[in-house]
Amino acid sequence: MRAQLRRRLEMAERVRDFLRAHQTDGVGQGLGLAKLEELLQRAQVLAGQQRVGVAMTRQATKQRKEVRRALGTKILRYLRVVGKVAAKQKGELANQFPLPPGNASQQALLTAARAPLEKATAQKDVLVTLGMSQQILDDLAAALAGFDQTLEATRAGRREHVGASADLEAISSEIAEQVQLLDGVVQYRFGDDAELMGAWHSARNVLGPFKSKGGATPKAA
């Protein structure tokens, strides 16, 4: 969440708390507090969706790095060795299992890894007789499926994050408008009470509550 948006939501929570504390003085009931609370609830839900989207994307990225490492340093390297050994007896298997470059794109890596799987599966019986473990094909297939899943998880996480972020921006604007409306109400109701107005201005300050010279935040009455 952007810092400016986070500060605006924190400001709205302080405004809500101020109005709740002074409902008995006639502020809040039917004068916009309910609307502000509704907007804050929606914003909190969207903020949660945003966090979930970010977490999904980060987790998928972490898993994808692990799969890439397994493919490059273990599975495909093993097949390459098997292919070199097999080529001594069956020449057409020479250079059938090349390693993809370390900086290959996601799609390029998938393409480069699927080709050896297809070729090794087609020559499975021959390769097994020459010492290839049957498990390697299952491991390669599982790694490719896992890689695909991380890509889909990344796309889903980004959709969740981007959609929630856009809605949060819209609600943030609504909150700003609602607080401006409430400011007029509070000015009318408490304009002659300097202490309360000081607390109100501190609450609706987007940068945070005002600090006294001693570092303490003024308390609302």
Side-chain angles (χ1 to χ4, degrees), residues 17-18 21-22 24-25 190 193-200 218-221:
D17 293 343
F18 178 94
H22 298 91
T24 55
D25 293 325
F190 299 121
D193 189 323
E195 186 174 1
L196 267 184
M197 289 308 299
W200 167 249
K219 296 182 179 179

Side-chain angles (χ1 to χ4, degrees), residues 1 23 55 59 70 74 94-95 98 102-103 107 109 115 132-133 147 155 171 178 189 195-196 217 221:
M1 182 185 295
Q23 283 189 32
Q59 181 63 22
K74 295 172 59 178
N95 301 319
N103 62 349
Q107 194 56 50
L109 178 63
M132 183 188 79
S133 168
F147 199 88
R155 288 190 288 268
I171 287 182
Q178 191 65 21
R189 180 65 180 82
E195 186 174 1
L196 267 184
T217 302

Side-chain angles (χ1 to χ4, degrees), residues 53-72:
V54 171
M56 286 174 61
T57 302
R58 288 176 177 171
Q59 181 63 22
T61 299
K62 179 181 177 182
Q63 292 175 345
R64 188 159 53 252
K65 287 180 180 179
E66 294 172 355
V67 175
R68 284 189 72 118
R69 189 178 302 112
L71 283 170

